[in-house]
Amino acid sequence: MSINRGRLRWQCRRAFLELDLVFARFLERDFDRLTDGQLADLEDLLRCEDHELWAMVNGSEPCGNDRWKEMIGLLRQQ
Amino acid sequence: MNVAKRTFDAVIVGAGGAGLRAALQLSESGLKTAVLTKVFPTRSHTVAAQGGVAASLGNTTEDNWHWHMYDTVKGSDWLGDQDAIEFMCRKANEVVVELEHYGMPFDRTDNGKIYQRPFGGHSQNYGQAPVSRSCAAADRTGHAMLHALYQRNVRANTQFFVEWMALDLIRDADGDVLGVTAIEMETGEVCIFHAKATIFATGGAGRIFHSSTNAFINTGDGLGMAARAGIPLEDMEFWQFHPTGVFGAGVLITEGVRGEGGILRNASGERFMERYAPNLKDLASRDVVSRSMVTEINEGRGCGPDKDHVLLDITHLSPETIMKRLPGIREISIQFAGVDPIKAPIPVVPTAHYQMGGIPTNYKGQVVAPKDGNPNAPISGFYAAGECACASVHGANRLGTNSLLDLLVFGKSAGESVVEDFQSGDLSLKPLPADAADVSLARLARLEGQKNGESVFEVGLEMRRTMQKHAGVFRFDNLLKEGVARIKEVAERSRRTEIKDKSKVWNTARTEALELDNLIEVAKATMVSAEARKESRGAHVRDDSPDTAEFPNGRKDNEWLKHTLWYSEGNRLDYKPVTMKPLSQDVEPIALAKRTY
Ligand SMILES: Cc1cc2nc3c(=O)[nH]c(=O)nc-3n(C[C@H](O)[C@H](O)[C@H](O)COP(=O)(O)OP(=O)(O)OC[C@H]3O[C@@H](n4cnc5c(N)ncnc54)[C@H](O)[C@@H]3O)c2cc1C
């Protein structure tokens, strides 16, 4: 079953502004170009808790899952 | 059109701290309870709360609820209702200890009690000295609170409808509330949630401002729904600007930073708060600190090439303290301000943060509105709690950490009221009017069919800019008057929004258009109420109502010691008295005084 882009777009709404700002940049710049495989990785990443996700994005915690690394890289890109 | 219907004892809109606390009360009492939420519960905005929750436990310094009540009334600039404030401060220890029993991992003192730290505006002995009243779980208090409450709700079998957006309130000819309409994002289907009791806990609307600490989800849906259904919004002119939003990004630096010893400095490095608030200094109430900062900037003592911000300095704290007590702050500062606060101070400006006003309720969480000469007549079947509600405990200005407390106390009391009203037979499942879903269906059909319309993004941007410019930290009569005219124009434009994407499922463009309808109601309420209030009080500070001997701080109690009620229809205003009498006979009212720190 293919992943609905609208759903992922909605799930990029997070609990605090830090992540919203990072995801807004990502949605604008990268999201439409993601392949199905990348979308599946993003879907997996979006299941993380917001604080966990934020820690990986700001680099205070290493990204513990190889599958998330590419998306974290895109989110970190200024 | 045939619309699907689901029936519950109670429906709660919102799964943040307030919604989850209310839900727990209902589910544990055996009521069939549905909780609707736009996002997964533990992704609600309560997660963002870092600083802590207030309770006069007295674990670190001597404390009691009378002092807390005094601070809250004074913080509110006497616009808070003293019955509700007494209720909240007296209940604080109970709801915090309850949370501890639900498994909330509070920080501990060496002897195992809940660790408490000082926070702006909270004092010992009626304003004498700062007190340690804030209970925190590192800088993740909201997150920990929400998780503890969510787990508890799962255990109590609360039924969650996740990624459902409530659209409109359903009222019958008597004005009683019978539930809501909602859209399931996954299918695009509209459904009626028919219930004996409806509780709104939809959170704040900080996204009406351009510079805001609030996440994108804070679109004031509950306020929009209530306003469209003819229910007034109370005291919407009062918005708290948090003193320390990261310059340029809005991201909040918690007051806990100043609690741990952070100092605000101007361009010459001066600790300027010593001049404005000699006692509490950097820990004075938020509005006082915000205005002092803007005054520094306006008088040319701001920092940076454009002298448009000030600095928050924690370089004198040990890196261990920063890492241990304020870890998140360092990352925020590096990411959004480009400075490591261990080495250099953080650029900050006052940023829109919290709405003191909201859907009018009493201390029991029942929604109230004027009827037959009673300014506070309960609306049958309707309750509200949390940031969307106005009990009113925060009055013209909220103290930090009092909001998480508000969620717990009034979430619980709204839940208790529903259970009581249920048991006493006051609530019944009234028949739905035939047109129950018509308003929502018409809104969706309008959006679907709109041609040559306005862009949701552009109209939203215009709204945010208008609010920022015309209803900011300092307010001016001419700007407010212009602001009223401009926000009405923006509101007109919002009636013609068009979306290009017409897909039925997971249509985020449609969701955002529907959210804008709600934001616009809040923006109008704010601007119109602010223009009309011709005094300065708490967070509402008018240039034409300055501090004089006759009117200390520009506050005009003889004329303006009253709550504003704004009605969407015709932007009509009404007023109602402030409750100056505490709940209990033996508690002395806190007499009007000038608010100084
Ligand atoms: C950055 C930041 C830090 C803060 N720190 C503190 C602090 O340290 N201490 C403190 O006391 N206060 C703090 N506050 C304030 C406090 O966090 C909020 O006032 C409080 O969390 C609001 O909780 P709530 O339950 O009312 O709403 P929220 O937690 O915002 O939850 C709202 C819920 O309503 C749902 N919802 C909204 N609209 C709809 C709809 N149409 N249909 C379905 N569901 C809907 C959402 O999905 C969500 O579940 C802070 C605020 C911010 C922005």
Side-chain angles (χ1 to χ4, degrees), chain B residues 29-47:
Chain B
S29 304
L31 299 191
K32 192 181 165 209
T33 305
V35 177
L36 273 58
T37 171
K38 290 198 285 189
V39 295
F40 194 76
T42 52
R43 214 166 287 148
S44 299
H45 201 33
T46 296
V47 169

PDB file of all heavy atoms in Angstrom, chain B residues 29-47:
ATOM      1  N   SER B  29     -15.143   7.424  36.279  1.00  0.00           N
ATOM      2  CA  SER B  29     -16.491   7.372  36.870  1.00  0.00           C
ATOM      3  C   SER B  29     -17.417   6.489  36.051  1.00  0.00           C
ATOM      4  O   SER B  29     -18.621   6.441  36.309  1.00  0.00           O
ATOM      5  CB  SER B  29     -17.095   8.772  36.948  1.00  0.00           C
ATOM      6  OG  SER B  29     -16.258   9.624  37.654  1.00  0.00           O
ATOM      7  N   GLY B  30     -16.874   5.871  35.017  1.00  0.00           N
ATOM      8  CA  GLY B  30     -17.673   4.938  34.232  1.00  0.00           C
ATOM      9  C   GLY B  30     -18.496   5.565  33.119  1.00  0.00           C
ATOM     10  O   GLY B  30     -19.320   4.893  32.496  1.00  0.00           O
ATOM     11  N   LEU B  31     -18.276   6.845  32.835  1.00  0.00           N
ATOM     12  CA  LEU B  31     -19.027   7.454  31.735  1.00  0.00           C
ATOM     13  C   LEU B  31     -18.372   7.094  30.401  1.00  0.00           C
ATOM     14  O   LEU B  31     -17.149   7.015  30.301  1.00  0.00           O
ATOM     15  CB  LEU B  31     -19.058   8.978  31.874  1.00  0.00           C
ATOM     16  CG  LEU B  31     -19.716   9.548  33.130  1.00  0.00           C
ATOM     17  CD1 LEU B  31     -19.920  11.049  32.987  1.00  0.00           C
ATOM     18  CD2 LEU B  31     -21.049   8.874  33.398  1.00  0.00           C
ATOM     19  N   LYS B  32     -19.220   6.905  29.395  1.00  0.00           N
ATOM     20  CA  LYS B  32     -18.712   6.583  28.056  1.00  0.00           C
ATOM     21  C   LYS B  32     -18.196   7.881  27.427  1.00  0.00           C
ATOM     22  O   LYS B  32     -18.980   8.785  27.115  1.00  0.00           O
ATOM     23  CB  LYS B  32     -19.844   5.970  27.236  1.00  0.00           C
ATOM     24  CG  LYS B  32     -19.373   5.327  25.950  1.00  0.00           C
ATOM     25  CD  LYS B  32     -20.568   4.748  25.179  1.00  0.00           C
ATOM     26  CE  LYS B  32     -20.143   4.443  23.750  1.00  0.00           C
ATOM     27  NZ  LYS B  32     -21.250   4.546  22.802  1.00  0.00           N
ATOM     28  N   THR B  33     -16.889   7.956  27.315  1.00  0.00           N
ATOM     29  CA  THR B  33     -16.255   9.227  26.981  1.00  0.00           C
ATOM     30  C   THR B  33     -15.445   9.152  25.697  1.00  0.00           C
ATOM     31  O   THR B  33     -14.604   8.255  25.533  1.00  0.00           O
ATOM     32  CB  THR B  33     -15.300   9.634  28.129  1.00  0.00           C
ATOM     33  OG1 THR B  33     -16.049   9.642  29.352  1.00  0.00           O
ATOM     34  CG2 THR B  33     -14.703  11.007  27.889  1.00  0.00           C
ATOM     35  N   ALA B  34     -15.696  10.093  24.794  1.00  0.00           N
ATOM     36  CA  ALA B  34     -14.908  10.192  23.560  1.00  0.00           C
ATOM     37  C   ALA B  34     -14.021  11.424  23.648  1.00  0.00           C
ATOM     38  O   ALA B  34     -14.462  12.482  24.071  1.00  0.00           O
ATOM     39  CB  ALA B  34     -15.823  10.327  22.356  1.00  0.00           C
ATOM     40  N   VAL B  35     -12.749  11.276  23.270  1.00  0.00           N
ATOM     41  CA  VAL B  35     -11.850  12.427  23.206  1.00  0.00           C
ATOM     42  C   VAL B  35     -11.404  12.604  21.759  1.00  0.00           C
ATOM     43  O   VAL B  35     -10.822  11.693  21.165  1.00  0.00           O
ATOM     44  CB  VAL B  35     -10.618  12.233  24.113  1.00  0.00           C
ATOM     45  CG1 VAL B  35      -9.672  13.420  23.972  1.00  0.00           C
ATOM     46  CG2 VAL B  35     -11.041  12.071  25.565  1.00  0.00           C
ATOM     47  N   LEU B  36     -11.715  13.764  21.199  1.00  0.00           N
ATOM     48  CA  LEU B  36     -11.312  14.072  19.824  1.00  0.00           C
ATOM     49  C   LEU B  36     -10.034  14.895  19.846  1.00  0.00           C
ATOM     50  O   LEU B  36      -9.897  15.809  20.658  1.00  0.00           O
ATOM     51  CB  LEU B  36     -12.398  14.931  19.137  1.00  0.00           C
ATOM     52  CG  LEU B  36     -13.546  14.218  18.439  1.00  0.00           C
ATOM     53  CD1 LEU B  36     -14.277  13.319  19.411  1.00  0.00           C
ATOM     54  CD2 LEU B  36     -14.495  15.239  17.835  1.00  0.00           C
ATOM     55  N   THR B  37      -9.121  14.593  18.947  1.00  0.00           N
ATOM     56  CA  THR B  37      -7.912  15.391  18.899  1.00  0.00           C
ATOM     57  C   THR B  37      -7.328  15.457  17.489  1.00  0.00           C
ATOM     58  O   THR B  37      -7.363  14.460  16.761  1.00  0.00           O
ATOM     59  CB  THR B  37      -6.859  14.895  19.923  1.00  0.00           C
ATOM     60  OG1 THR B  37      -5.624  15.582  19.687  1.00  0.00           O
ATOM     61  CG2 THR B  37      -6.626  13.391  19.831  1.00  0.00           C
ATOM     62  N   LYS B  38      -6.827  16.616  17.148  1.00  0.00           N
ATOM     63  CA  LYS B  38      -6.267  16.815  15.808  1.00  0.00           C
ATOM     64  C   LYS B  38      -4.983  16.025  15.617  1.00  0.00           C
ATOM     65  O   LYS B  38      -4.637  15.644  14.511  1.00  0.00           O
ATOM     66  CB  LYS B  38      -5.949  18.311  15.578  1.00  0.00           C
ATOM     67  CG  LYS B  38      -7.171  19.203  15.448  1.00  0.00           C
ATOM     68  CD  LYS B  38      -6.828  20.551  14.804  1.00  0.00           C
ATOM     69  CE  LYS B  38      -6.104  21.491  15.745  1.00  0.00           C
ATOM     70  NZ  LYS B  38      -5.980  22.868  15.168  1.00  0.00           N
ATOM     71  N   VAL B  39      -4.253  15.844  16.717  1.00  0.00           N
ATOM     72  CA  VAL B  39      -2.982  15.111  16.639  1.00  0.00           C
ATOM     73  C   VAL B  39      -2.955  14.065  17.745  1.00  0.00           C
ATOM     74  O   VAL B  39      -3.765  14.119  18.680  1.00  0.00           O
ATOM     75  CB  VAL B  39      -1.765  16.054  16.807  1.00  0.00           C
ATOM     76  CG1 VAL B  39      -1.672  17.036  15.640  1.00  0.00           C
ATOM     77  CG2 VAL B  39      -1.823  16.792  18.132  1.00  0.00           C
ATOM     78  N   PHE B  40      -2.011  13.153  17.671  1.00  0.00           N
ATOM     79  CA  PHE B  40      -1.898  12.136  18.709  1.00  0.00           C
ATOM     80  C   PHE B  40      -1.799  12.838  20.080  1.00  0.00           C
ATOM     81  O   PHE B  40      -1.095  13.834  20.209  1.00  0.00           O
ATOM     82  CB  PHE B  40      -0.673  11.257  18.447  1.00  0.00           C
ATOM     83  CG  PHE B  40      -0.691  10.019  19.276  1.00  0.00           C
ATOM     84  CD1 PHE B  40      -1.534   8.964  18.944  1.00  0.00           C
ATOM     85  CD2 PHE B  40       0.083   9.920  20.416  1.00  0.00           C
ATOM     86  CE1 PHE B  40      -1.584   7.832  19.738  1.00  0.00           C
ATOM     87  CE2 PHE B  40       0.027   8.787  21.214  1.00  0.00           C
ATOM     88  CZ  PHE B  40      -0.807   7.737  20.876  1.00  0.00           C
ATOM     89  N   PRO B  41      -2.521  12.335  21.098  1.00  0.00           N
ATOM     90  CA  PRO B  41      -2.603  13.058  22.377  1.00  0.00           C
ATOM     91  C   PRO B  41      -1.263  13.573  22.899  1.00  0.00           C
ATOM     92  O   PRO B  41      -1.158  14.738  23.297  1.00  0.00           O
ATOM     93  CB  PRO B  41      -3.211  12.025  23.327  1.00  0.00           C
ATOM     94  CG  PRO B  41      -4.055  11.175  22.443  1.00  0.00           C
ATOM     95  CD  PRO B  41      -3.355  11.110  21.120  1.00  0.00           C
ATOM     96  N   THR B  42      -0.243  12.709  22.900  1.00  0.00           N
ATOM     97  CA  THR B  42       1.028  13.142  23.489  1.00  0.00           C
ATOM     98  C   THR B  42       1.812  14.056  22.554  1.00  0.00           C
ATOM     99  O   THR B  42       2.969  14.362  22.813  1.00  0.00           O
ATOM    100  CB  THR B  42       1.897  11.938  23.886  1.00  0.00           C
ATOM    101  OG1 THR B  42       2.002  11.071  22.767  1.00  0.00           O
ATOM    102  CG2 THR B  42       1.301  11.207  25.063  1.00  0.00           C
ATOM    103  N   ARG B  43       1.165  14.483  21.473  1.00  0.00           N
ATOM    104  CA  ARG B  43       1.783  15.511  20.635  1.00  0.00           C
ATOM    105  C   ARG B  43       1.042  16.848  20.794  1.00  0.00           C
ATOM    106  O   ARG B  43       1.228  17.771  20.013  1.00  0.00           O
ATOM    107  CB  ARG B  43       1.773  15.054  19.177  1.00  0.00           C
ATOM    108  CG  ARG B  43       2.978  15.537  18.426  1.00  0.00           C
ATOM    109  CD  ARG B  43       3.146  14.806  17.106  1.00  0.00           C
ATOM    110  NE  ARG B  43       3.595  13.448  17.280  1.00  0.00           N
ATOM    111  CZ  ARG B  43       3.262  12.429  16.479  1.00  0.00           C
ATOM    112  NH1 ARG B  43       2.454  12.621  15.462  1.00  0.00           N
ATOM    113  NH2 ARG B  43       3.731  11.234  16.705  1.00  0.00           N
ATOM    114  N   SER B  44       0.198  16.930  21.799  1.00  0.00           N
ATOM    115  CA  SER B  44      -0.499  18.188  22.085  1.00  0.00           C
ATOM    116  C   SER B  44       0.504  19.208  22.592  1.00  0.00           C
ATOM    117  O   SER B  44       1.586  18.855  23.066  1.00  0.00           O
ATOM    118  CB  SER B  44      -1.576  17.966  23.149  1.00  0.00           C
ATOM    119  OG  SER B  44      -2.521  17.037  22.683  1.00  0.00           O
ATOM    120  N   HIS B  45       0.112  20.469  22.551  1.00  0.00           N
ATOM    121  CA  HIS B  45       1.074  21.532  22.838  1.00  0.00           C
ATOM    122  C   HIS B  45       1.544  21.561  24.289  1.00  0.00           C
ATOM    123  O   HIS B  45       2.586  22.138  24.593  1.00  0.00           O
ATOM    124  CB  HIS B  45       0.476  22.883  22.442  1.00  0.00           C
ATOM    125  CG  HIS B  45       1.504  23.936  22.225  1.00  0.00           C
ATOM    126  ND1 HIS B  45       2.751  23.662  21.720  1.00  0.00           N
ATOM    127  CD2 HIS B  45       1.491  25.265  22.443  1.00  0.00           C
ATOM    128  CE1 HIS B  45       3.456  24.785  21.637  1.00  0.00           C
ATOM    129  NE2 HIS B  45       2.707  25.771  22.078  1.00  0.00           N
ATOM    130  N   THR B  46       0.797  20.918  25.174  1.00  0.00           N
ATOM    131  CA  THR B  46       1.237  20.844  26.579  1.00  0.00           C
ATOM    132  C   THR B  46       2.664  20.287  26.687  1.00  0.00           C
ATOM    133  O   THR B  46       3.405  20.636  27.611  1.00  0.00           O
ATOM    134  CB  THR B  46       0.238  19.993  27.398  1.00  0.00           C
ATOM    135  OG1 THR B  46      -1.030  20.666  27.415  1.00  0.00           O
ATOM    136  CG2 THR B  46       0.693  19.790  28.830  1.00  0.00           C
ATOM    137  N   VAL B  47       3.024  19.441  25.726  1.00  0.00           N
ATOM    138  CA  VAL B  47       4.384  18.881  25.697  1.00  0.00           C
ATOM    139  C   VAL B  47       5.459  19.982  25.736  1.00  0.00           C
ATOM    140  O   VAL B  47       6.557  19.776  26.230  1.00  0.00           O
ATOM    141  CB  VAL B  47       4.557  18.018  24.418  1.00  0.00           C
ATOM    142  CG1 VAL B  47       6.022  17.645  24.191  1.00  0.00           C
ATOM    143  CG2 VAL B  47       3.731  16.750  24.535  1.00  0.00           C
TER     144      VAL B  47
END
